[in-house]
Structures are given as C-alpha cells and as structure tokens.
C-alpha cells in the first residue's frame, strides 16, 4: 500500500506518528530569562499555523507553535509596557493568563466571532513564570489608577533613579564601565584624562555637582563617538578626543542657541548687561531641543503708578501666560499686600512684562525676579544689569537664589563663572536702599 503512495502522501501519512517538540530546554542549565520585543497576541500565547494545500487551509498538531509565555515558563519574561499596550489583545491575554495560571492557545478570530475554519484546540499548559514590565512613571500611574488587575497582578514596583551619588565607589564603577565597554566592543581604551572628562560630563548630565548620571547610554554615546573621531594611529582615546565628541554633539543640537546669539549681536533682540536701570532686570529661561538645553536671558520690566489694580501681568491679560506663571504672580501680589499693606491698603498699580516675548511664558521661577523689578520701580532704585536671576519663591517669599555674578558679553553671556547660593526673607524698601544688591 505504501509502495503506491507518492512521496508527499507518505510524509503526510507518517505525520501522525511524529512528535512536536514544543519547547526544548535540554541546553538550559540556568534560569530562563526571555525578552519579547514584539509582544503581539500570538507572539505571547502561541498559535496554530496553517498550510495551503490545493486551495484549502489544513493544519495538524505539528503546526502548534509556542509563544513567549511558553518559552519563559519556569523563568522570567521581560516586556516593555508601551509595546505591550500598543498591540491589540496582548494586555488582555497577559492578564487572563496570569489570573488563571494557564496558557491557552486560541485563535483571535474564534474569540471575536469571525469566520474561521475548523482548527485544533490544544489543552492549556500550567504557567509558572514571573513577568517583568518595563516602562516609565506615566504608564505606571495610568495603569495603577485605572486598571484594578494591574494593581493585583503587579504588586512590586521598582523605581530606578537616573542619578547616583558622586563618591569614590561610583566614580570607580563608572571608570570600570568605560573599560569594560572598550573591551567588549574592541574600542581603544581611555587615558586617565579622558576618563576624568567623561566623569565631568556625567556630572553635567545629572545637573548636580554632587551626582553622576545613571543614564549610561549617554556616556556610551560619547565613548563610541570619541573612538570614531580619534586618529587611527593613536593607541588610546585622549581628553581632547572626548572634548571634541562632546562639542560635536552639542554643535549638532545648538542651532537655536546660535540663532538667538546672532539676534543679540545684530540688535534684533535687546539685552543690557552694562550699567544700572530702574524697573528692569534680566531673568533666565531654560530652552532646549531634545537632549540639549540652554539658558536664554529675558528682560523683565515693571512700571508703577498710582492706582488700585495691584499687579497687572501683561502676559496673562493677552492670554500668553501659563497657569504656573499666573500662580507665581498671585503669590507675588500676596507678598506685596502682606508686607506693605497691613495698616493701609496699597494704592499702586504695577504692570510687569517679558520684553520681546511672543511665544508665551510659563513657570514660576521668574516671580522673584519680577519682585525685584517692582520694588526697584517703586523705590526708584536701579538694578545692576549684569546680574541675571532665576528663583522659585515660596508662599512667604523665602527662596534659594542663584545669582549670576559675571557673564561674558553676547555670544557667551551664559558662561557662568560664579554662583551664590543662599536664603533671605522679606526685604523692605528702606532696607533695599541701604543694601548693595
């Protein structure tokens, strides 16, 4: 009988005697850790595949394919929460699997009543795995607030900091990371000066002189770029190579800053850094494009005259002020009233504005700067124009201040050479008249 069968028919006849090796763990001597980069429904739960034979779809138990949950059974499965939620049905599949403790291979078409051909129904498989979801605080907050199953199934939350203390141990580990990466990627090793430059860059990325960044991918980018631009004949990466890599990275992102500097130079945007003026002060606004950010000076002016309207925020009047900035101005108004209007109501009107600002303003770091301009305007006390201030006031107007003592003219006006940190409380007009600001 077999002699008269064709090769294809013989193969099909013996298929029912074969074994479908679903998961092969023969080479697994450690705990399995599976990372699924594309967590679609079928990639997670597995599927039953079909073959086209003479225009008809056929299948067999040999076409049952495992998913990531099967491969990670007995170990750990790592998923990116953003990718998981971006794929339809994947999140429901994962929840159902974890709640029931079994993995069922089912067709989506059958679940949702679409027209399908008859298919196999594999028995559910017991699940014993730990699922790790990776994502940012936004997704965690949304799921925790609106998804009860998420709170019940994922009870352990690990929040990793993006910065670490700048101590001897962490500096050594960062240097070790640089050496290991050079060894793994077959890159040139770094000299002592080059490593020190990378440590300095890590401190700048963290925005604190007492911290190092834990976003090591930023350090790795500089390592790769410094190796790429170095001379082929030099044996090691030097401090100059690292500096050039950092400068080139900055140059690719600072077009907006250069354009602003050009506008300051040619007088399109006005800024005064010489002498003293009444009711005028320079504030600092943080601007940026993606990874690169810089400080832009903004002239803030105040005009004071008799009246009862109090503080008029021009940006708010023309609907170019954000809610946080409005809050800062209201705190400022409350301070002026509590400080100078307890015995008699204030009979002044003060208008404040950001000169040459057409894109709106938000944030409260300019509130104290506006306070200086207002008091200067009221008391007719000039303010030194080379000082730019950025402060965040509290309700009682006690703040930590960061005052720029010296800036270089125009193109490098933000190269800060000296900062002063301190606190001060309420200041009366008479006290300001006698103080050297």
């Amino acid at each position: 009988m077999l002699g008269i069968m064709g090769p294809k028919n013989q193969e099909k006849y013996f298929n029912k005697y074969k074994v479908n090796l679903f998961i092969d763990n023969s080479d697994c001597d450690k705990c399995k850790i599976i990372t699924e980069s594309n967590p679609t429904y079928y990639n997670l739960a597995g599927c039953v595949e079909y073959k086209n034979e003479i225009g008809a779809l056929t299948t067999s138990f040999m076409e049952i394919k495992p998913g990531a949950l099967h491969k990670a059974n007995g170990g750990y499965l790592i998923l990116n929460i953003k990718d998981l939620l971006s794929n339809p049905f994947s999140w429901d599949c994962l929840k159902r699997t974890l709640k029931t403790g079994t993995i069922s291979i089912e067709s989506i078409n059958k679940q949702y009543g679409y027209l399908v051909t008859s298919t196999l129904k594999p028995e559910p498989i017991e699940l014993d795995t730990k699922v790790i979801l990776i994502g940012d605080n936004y997704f965690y907050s949304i799921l925790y607030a609106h998804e009860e199953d998420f709170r019940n199934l994922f009870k352990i939350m690990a929040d990793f900091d993006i910065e670490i203390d700048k101590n001897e141990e962490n500096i050594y580990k960062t240097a070790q990371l640089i050496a290991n990466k050079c060894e793994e990627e077959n890159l040139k090793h770094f000299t002592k000066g080059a490593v020190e430059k990378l440590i300095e860059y890590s401190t700048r990325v963290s925005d604190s002189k007492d911290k190092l960044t834990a976003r090591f991918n930023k350090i790795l980018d500089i390592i790769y770029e410094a190796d790429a631009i170095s001379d082929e004949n030099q044996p090691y990466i030097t401090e100059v190579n690292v500096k050039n890599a950092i400068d080139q990275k900055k140059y690719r992102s600072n077009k907006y800053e250069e354009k602003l500097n050009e506008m300051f130079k040619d007088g399109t945007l006005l800024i005064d850094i010489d002498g003293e003026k009444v009711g005028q002060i320079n504030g600092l606004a943080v601007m940026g494009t993606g990874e690169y950010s810089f400080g832009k000076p903004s002239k803030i002016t105040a005009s004071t005259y008799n009246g009862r309207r109090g503080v008029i925020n021009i940006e708010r009047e023309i609907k170019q002020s954000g809610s946080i900035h409005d809050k800062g101005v209201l705190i400022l108004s409350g301070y002026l009233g509590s400080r100078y209007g307890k015995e008699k109501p204030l009979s002044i009107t003060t208008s404040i504005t950001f000169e040459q600002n057409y894109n709106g303003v938000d944030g409260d770091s300019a509130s104290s700067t506006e306070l200086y301009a207002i008091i200067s305007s009221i008391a007719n006390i000039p303010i030194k124009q080379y000082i730019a201030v950025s402060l965040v006031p509290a309700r009682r107007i006690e703040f930590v201040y960061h005052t720029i003592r010296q800036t270089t003219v125009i193109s490098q006006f933000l190269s800060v050479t000296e900062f002063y940190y301190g606190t001060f409380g309420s200041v009366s007009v008479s006290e300001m008249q006698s103080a050297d600001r």
Side-chain angles (χ1 to χ4, degrees):
M1 178 178 176
L2 296 177
I4 62 176
M5 288 184 180
K8 290 186 178 180
N9 290 331
Q10 291 184 23
E11 181 181 356
K12 184 176 180 181
Y13 177 80
F14 283 108
N15 274 347
K16 59 184 177 181
Y17 299 105
K18 292 182 180 180
V19 175
N20 182 358
L21 184 57
F22 197 57
I23 296 292
D24 184 6
N25 290 328
S26 59
D27 296 331
C28 184
D29 55 352
K30 297 181 181 179
C31 180
K32 294 186 292 184
I33 301 177
I34 305 298
T35 302
E36 179 56 60
S37 59
N38 184 26
T40 63
Y41 176 85
Y42 290 121
N43 284 350
L44 286 177
C47 63
V48 178
E49 295 183 348
Y50 293 84
K51 289 183 178 179
N52 188 341
E53 294 185 359
I54 319 178
L57 296 177
T58 62
T59 188
S60 68
F61 68 92
M62 294 297 295
E63 302 302 323
I64 301 176
K65 305 300 179 183
L69 289 168
H70 299 99
K71 298 175 184 178
N73 207 357
Y76 295 86
L77 175 61
I78 302 176
L79 302 171
N80 187 294
I81 186 63
K82 182 179 180 181
D83 297 334
L84 182 67
L85 297 177
S86 299
N87 287 281
F89 316 115
S90 296
W91 174 241
D92 291 333
C93 169
L94 181 63
K95 288 194 301 180
R96 182 172 58 253
T97 301
L98 294 177
K99 286 193 291 187
T100 61
T102 58
I103 316 172
S104 299
I105 300 179
E106 299 176 343
S107 171
I108 294 179
N109 295 334
K110 185 176 181 180
Q111 289 186 39
Y112 291 91
Y114 299 138
L115 181 63
V116 294
T117 59
S118 60
T119 184
L120 300 176
K121 176 64 176 177
E123 293 184 0
I125 298 176
E126 294 293 328
L127 177 67
D128 179 21
T129 188
K130 303 293 184 183
V131 179
I132 301 174
L133 299 181
I134 299 177
D136 57 22
N137 187 65
Y138 172 78
F139 286 102
Y140 178 83
S141 301
I142 293 295
L143 290 173
Y144 191 87
H146 302 286
E147 182 64 79
E148 183 179 357
D149 291 331
F150 177 79
R151 297 194 296 268
N152 296 331
L153 295 174
F154 298 91
K155 299 181 179 180
I156 300 177
M157 184 264 205
D159 191 3
F160 293 93
D161 202 348
I162 61 173
E163 59 187 23
I164 56 179
D165 292 333
K166 187 178 180 181
N167 52 39
E168 185 176 346
E169 179 184 1
N170 289 333
I171 290 176
Y172 174 77
K173 289 182 178 179
T174 303
Q176 197 172 38
L177 169 69
I178 297 170
N180 291 341
K181 182 56 62 174
C182 293
E183 195 72 30
E184 293 172 5
E185 302 293 338
N186 196 26
L187 305 175
K188 298 174 186 175
H189 283 276
F190 283 59
T191 63
K192 181 184 177 210
V195 173
E196 291 174 349
K197 194 67 178 177
L198 276 175
I199 297 295
E200 177 187 338
Y201 177 74
S202 176
T203 302
R204 289 188 176 276
V205 172
S206 70
D207 291 329
S208 172
K209 63 183 180 63
D210 298 320
K211 298 288 184 178
L212 296 173
T213 182
R215 293 178 287 181
F216 299 112
N217 59 313
K218 293 183 176 293
I219 304 298
L220 298 181
D221 290 342
I222 300 299
I223 292 176
Y224 292 136
E225 188 162 349
D227 181 81
I229 65 177
S230 64
D231 194 328
E232 295 181 356
N233 298 324
Q234 67 181 70
Y236 300 105
I237 303 298
T238 65
E239 180 181 358
V240 175
N241 299 134
V242 176
K243 183 179 183 302
N244 289 339
I246 296 173
D247 290 342
Q248 290 185 20
K249 184 176 183 178
K250 175 182 175 182
Y251 175 75
R252 292 192 297 268
S253 306
N254 72 341
K255 182 186 74 172
Y256 188 33
E257 181 186 17
E258 289 183 350
K259 294 298 182 182
L260 281 174
N261 288 340
E262 290 178 4
M263 296 173 75
F264 282 120
K265 286 181 180 179
D266 60 25
T268 304
L269 293 178
L270 301 178
I271 180 174
D272 292 324
I273 57 175
D274 297 321
E276 300 177 350
K277 292 189 177 181
V278 175
Q280 297 185 23
I281 190 171
N282 290 318
L284 287 176
V286 178
M287 308 184 71
T289 54
E291 290 186 354
Y292 182 72
S293 60
F294 61 96
K296 173 185 175 294
S298 300
K299 178 172 285 296
I300 300 174
T301 60
S303 300
T304 306
Y305 47 91
N306 290 328
R308 292 184 177 274
R309 293 192 60 184
V311 180
I312 300 175
N313 178 11
I314 293 181
E315 271 71 28
R316 182 181 182 182
E317 297 294 324
I318 62 174
K319 302 187 184 323
Q320 283 194 345
S321 176
S323 58
I324 299 178
H325 181 256
D326 291 342
K327 176 185 176 182
V329 175
L330 292 175
I331 291 176
L332 174 59
S333 301
Y335 167 75
L336 291 173
S338 64
R339 183 68 180 87
Y340 303 109
K342 286 186 176 180
E343 298 180 359
K344 297 180 180 180
L346 293 177
S347 299
I348 62 170
T349 299
T350 300
S351 63
I352 54 175
T353 186
F354 283 74
E355 299 290 344
Q356 294 185 301
N357 176 60
Y358 311 105
N359 299 321
V361 61
D362 200 7
D364 60 355
S365 61
S367 300
S368 56
T369 314
E370 294 165 339
L371 172 63
Y372 305 148
I374 291 173
I375 295 179
S376 170
S377 177
I378 294 174
N380 199 31
I381 301 175
I383 297 177
K384 297 174 182 177
Q385 296 301 292
Y386 66 81
I387 297 178
V389 187
S390 179
L391 305 116
V392 179
R395 183 64 183 89
R396 300 297 300 174
I397 308 299
E398 294 178 355
F399 15 61
V400 176
Y401 63 92
H402 314 274
T403 304
I404 296 181
R405 283 285 295 181
Q406 182 177 345
T407 54
T408 308
V409 178
I410 304 302
S411 62
Q412 295 297 327
F413 54 82
L414 294 175
S415 60
V416 181
T417 59
E418 188 175 1
F419 277 92
Y420 284 87
Y421 299 85
T423 60
F424 58 92
S426 58
V427 181
S428 66
V429 173
S430 59
E431 290 170 337
M432 285 198 66
Q433 289 175 336
S434 61
D436 181 16
R437 298 164 303 283

